[in-house]
């Protein structure tokens, strides 16, 4: 299956051709660990987890090496540690753990590698030294800066022209850099801040060099795919390219992919705006992790996605339909099947998750009408295989309905269903019908079969 991906660098959708199909490499910029990730921050890891699953399917599980880093040294982390009066490590380790729990709840597979910036400082120092040696960077009292003017193709990813960049934002504490758009590779040590020794003076790394070094150290460049949110194109990814390519004289990454924003009321979800909601808050409200995941995958990754309770309700209703079909077929014989070709082809077409979801819906319809046992077995296996690709519907269907109703309501429903089973056994059809109506009023549909009675949410 030929995967096609939209490359931000060429601005085209193109066939994905890894340098070495036996070692496919992907790097996605991970979180700065000083606070809870919001649901917008969860979009890149969920999108690229889905791509990871597709790559593993096409190239083999062990052929794909996916690194997602932790930025565990950065201005905001230092500020948070000072504010809370705790060590940097205490902050970063705490939020790494919370991040991993949140991602687990959203069905995100652990990446192959999760490097930390602080564990790759020597690699950063090595790149910076190379850039100083070849004239692409310079040392001044506040630190080491990359000289944007020395890089002829600076701006190629974001499409920003050099003269646009002349304006460059003023950054506090960087008064001695030579040009406003030059950026810090290394920040000279300040009292009370963590520092590392380096030949060009003690200090700490800038954010952009962290990713360049982790890519070099963990994967080796050029890598096949580099991903992140659209806001990282400039300056973060532009600067990663500038540093790495000026140091190594070959591309940093072949394909650059960027997900669109998650918005709320059409405004980008962000801490600074204050319109954030975290996965933990949604889970505490009773939404299931896979409902959140389904909602995140319901739009194409490049498109904006407007977050709302309505989106979550629709996602839950779609999952109900999938689990309802699996519940109907719960006693169908087990079979082995691959996800059907049209479903995989939709994902291979630039990770078109809405088209894949439409194919999944067709598989639900097939499962709902399957009559004979072999047909049922095949429909169920294909549905499960496709759902697995998206990282959804791997739960036991009965457990899904219990969880989405909540344990208290589920226990009441169980009791009514049990009474109804008794009434039917006693041929008390009036009571049995009354109980069915009572359950229907709660939004519950009872499913009777030779094996017993189960229930699901009414469609
Ligand atoms: P940050 O912690 O701001 O560096 O963001 C971590 C990741 O989340 C980056 O890849 C960002 O591009 C991405 N991101 C941040 N906010 C949003 C949003 N509202 N929608 C989609 N992605 C986002
Ligand atoms: Zn990065």
């Amino acid at each position: 299956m030929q995967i096609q991906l939209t490359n931000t660098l060429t601005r085209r959708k193109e066939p994905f051709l890894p340098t070495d199909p036996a070692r496919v490499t992907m790097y996605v910029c991970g979180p700065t660990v000083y606070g809870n990730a919001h649901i917008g921050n969860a979009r890149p890891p969920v999108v690229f987890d889905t791509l990871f699953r597709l790559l593993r399917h096409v190239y083999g599980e062990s052929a794909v090496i996916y690194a997602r880093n932790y930025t565990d040294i950065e201005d905001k982390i230092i500020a948070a540690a000072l504010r809370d009066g705790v060590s940097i490590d205490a902050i970063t380790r705490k939020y790494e753990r919370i991040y991993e729990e949140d991602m687990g709840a959203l069905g995100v597979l652990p990446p192959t590698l999760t490097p930390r910036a602080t564990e790759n400082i020597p690699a950063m120092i090595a790149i910076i030294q190379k850039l100083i040696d070849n004239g692409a960077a310079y040392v001044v009292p506040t630190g080491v800066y990359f000289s944007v003017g020395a890089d002829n193709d600076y701006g190629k990813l974001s499409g920003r022209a050099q003269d646009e960049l002349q304006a460059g934002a003023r950054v506090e504490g960087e008064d001695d850099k030579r040009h406003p758009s030059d950026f810090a590779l290394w920040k000279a040590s300040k009292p009370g801040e963590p520092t590392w020794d380096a030949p060009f003076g003690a200090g700490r790394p800038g954010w952009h060099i962290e990713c360049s070094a982790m890519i070099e150290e963990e994967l080796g460049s050029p890598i096949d795919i580099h991903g992140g949110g659209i806001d990282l194109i400039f300056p973060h990814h532009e600067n990663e390219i500038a540093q790495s390519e000026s140091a190594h004289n070959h591309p940093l990454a072949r394909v650059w992919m960027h997900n669109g924003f998650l918005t709320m009321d059409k405004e980008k979800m962000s801490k600074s705006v204050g319109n954030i909601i975290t996965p933990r808050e949604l889970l505490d409200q009773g939404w299931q992790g896979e409902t959140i995941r389904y909602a995140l995958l319901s739009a194409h990754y490049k498109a904006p996605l407007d977050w709302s309770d309505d989106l979550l309700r629709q996602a839950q209703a779609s999952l109900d339909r999938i689990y309802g079909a699996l519940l109907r077929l719960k006693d169908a014989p087990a079979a082995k099947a691959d996800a059907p070709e049209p479903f995989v082809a939709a994902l291979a077409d630039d990770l078109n998750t809405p088209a894949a979801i439409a194919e999944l819906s067709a598989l639900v319809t097939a499962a709902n009408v399957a009559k004979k046992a072999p047909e049922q077995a095949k429909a169920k296996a294909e549905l499960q295989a496709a759902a697995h690709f998206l990282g959804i519907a791997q739960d036991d269907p009965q457990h899904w309905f219990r969880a989405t109703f909540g344990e208290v309501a589920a226990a009441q429903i169980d009791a009514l269903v049990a009474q109804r089973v008794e009434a039917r056994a006693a041929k008390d059809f009036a009571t049995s019908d009354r109980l069915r109506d009572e359950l229907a009023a709660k939004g519950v549909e009872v499913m009777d079969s030779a094996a017993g009675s189960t229930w699901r949410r009414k469609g």
Side-chain angles (χ1 to χ4, degrees):
M1 170 103 24
Q2 177 61 59
I3 298 176
Q4 309 266 338
L5 298 173
T6 296
N7 188 350
T8 309
L9 192 59
T10 60
R11 294 158 180 80
R12 277 201 312 265
K13 183 156 89 177
E14 37 191 55
F16 172 64
L17 302 165
T19 311
D20 177 3
R23 190 174 178 279
V24 180
T25 49
M26 174 161 80
Y27 181 91
V28 173
C29 298
T32 304
V33 275
Y34 70 102
N36 288 320
H38 59 67
I39 196 71
N41 299 138
R43 194 174 187 195
V46 168
V47 161
F48 290 101
D49 174 69
T50 309
L51 180 57
F52 183 39
R53 289 167 188 256
L54 176 67
L55 292 169
R56 282 158 50 116
H57 174 81
V58 172
Y59 295 99
E61 284 203 5
S62 58
V64 186
I65 307 184
Y66 169 29
R68 191 193 63 212
N69 74 291
Y70 288 114
T71 293
D72 63 347
I73 181 72
E74 215 255 337
D75 297 2
K76 290 181 207 145
I77 301 175
I78 296 170
L82 280 175
R83 187 195 58 215
D84 299 351
V86 295
S87 72
I88 302 234
D89 272 9
I91 296 244
T92 56
R93 296 299 181 267
K94 173 180 165 192
Y95 288 106
E96 273 180 28
R97 190 177 43 74
I98 294 176
Y99 188 79
E100 282 173 12
E101 277 171 20
D102 288 350
M103 291 309 119
L106 301 187
V108 172
L109 301 172
T112 326
L113 303 163
T114 50
R116 292 178 177 133
T118 54
E119 289 167 358
N120 287 279
I121 303 281
M124 297 171 205
I125 293 174
I127 299 178
I128 296 170
Q129 189 60 55
K130 258 193 188 174
L131 293 171
I132 295 170
D133 292 346
N134 72 17
Y138 55 90
V139 188
V140 287
T142 63
V144 183
Y145 293 90
F146 184 86
S147 177
V148 166
D151 180 10
N152 290 330
D153 59 3
Y154 188 81
K156 69 179 171 187
L157 181 70
S158 59
R160 295 191 188 208
Q162 283 278 358
D163 52 350
E164 253 184 88
L165 297 165
Q166 304 293 327
R170 215 192 76 87
V171 179
E172 205 182 327
E174 298 189 350
D175 306 314
D176 55 357
K177 65 183 182 185
R178 292 181 192 153
H179 190 281
S181 49
D182 292 350
F183 58 88
L185 298 166
W186 191 255
K187 302 178 186 223
S189 145
K190 288 198 205 113
E193 289 189 355
T195 73
W196 286 265
D197 285 331
F200 35 80
R204 63 186 169 89
W207 174 33
H208 316 305
I209 197 71
E210 295 182 1
C211 285
S212 284
M214 284 185 271
I215 290 170
E216 210 50 55
E217 195 66 10
E218 304 282 336
L219 302 172
S221 63
I223 53 170
D224 293 309
I225 300 171
H226 192 316
I230 192 170
D231 54 339
L232 298 189
I233 296 176
F234 187 88
H236 184 54
H237 289 166
E238 196 74 77
N239 292 353
E240 281 187 33
I241 290 176
Q243 303 158 158
S244 291
E245 300 191 0
S246 298
H248 300 118
N249 279 315
H250 61 243
L252 173 61
R254 298 196 182 282
V255 181
W256 289 83
M257 291 177 69
H258 295 97
N259 64 270
F261 283 141
L262 188 124
T263 58
M264 214 138 68
D265 299 322
K266 307 279 185 219
E267 185 169 21
K268 180 194 173 189
M269 182 176 285
S270 83
K271 248 195 176 141
S272 54
V273 177
N275 59 346
I276 61 169
I277 179 150
T278 65
R280 176 54 44 200
E281 285 167 330
L282 292 168
L283 294 166
D284 287 346
Q285 287 168 20
W287 297 105
Q288 302 301 299
E290 60 183 296
T291 304
I292 302 170
R293 182 181 175 101
Y294 190 104
L296 285 170
L297 293 175
S298 63
H300 190 268
Y301 77 87
K302 286 196 301 170
L305 172 63
D306 203 43
W307 195 259
S308 65
D309 273 358
D310 209 40
L311 180 73
L312 284 164
R313 275 191 288 273
Q314 283 170 28
Q316 180 169 289
S318 301
L319 284 163
D320 273 352
R321 196 167 161 264
I322 297 169
Y323 277 119
L326 292 174
L327 188 58
R328 190 179 88 90
L329 298 184
K330 78 176 166 41
D331 300 320
K336 267 198 137 14
D338 279 332
E341 205 271 345
F343 172 87
V344 183
L347 288 178
D349 179 14
D350 201 17
L351 207 67
N352 192 338
T353 51
I357 282 173
E359 292 295 337
L360 189 69
S361 175
L363 295 175
V364 175
T365 305
N368 280 337
V369 298
K371 296 237 158 45
K372 297 207 178 67
E375 205 193 330
Q376 290 188 339
K378 176 167 174 282
K380 177 172 149 185
E382 286 187 343
L383 177 56
Q384 281 171 326
H388 180 257
F389 243 104
L390 293 178
I392 54 168
Q394 302 305 296
D395 197 359
D396 169 72
Q398 274 164 306
H399 179 260
W400 162 263
F401 288 110
R402 301 189 72 83
T404 51
F405 269 89
E407 264 318 308
V408 174
Q412 289 167 353
I413 295 166
D414 283 346
L416 292 171
V417 171
Q419 284 172 33
R420 185 169 163 277
V421 168
E422 266 178 41
R424 271 159 57 101
K427 303 214 164 356
D428 177 357
F429 295 113
T431 303
S432 148
D433 286 352
R434 181 180 57 73
L435 286 164
R436 172 177 289 265
D437 291 346
E438 201 175 315
L439 284 157
K442 289 183 185 291
V444 174
E445 176 188 345
V446 186
M447 301 163 79
D448 301 312
S449 77
S453 294
T454 56
W455 55 268
R456 64 184 181 190
R457 196 185 335 271
K458 267 200 321 192

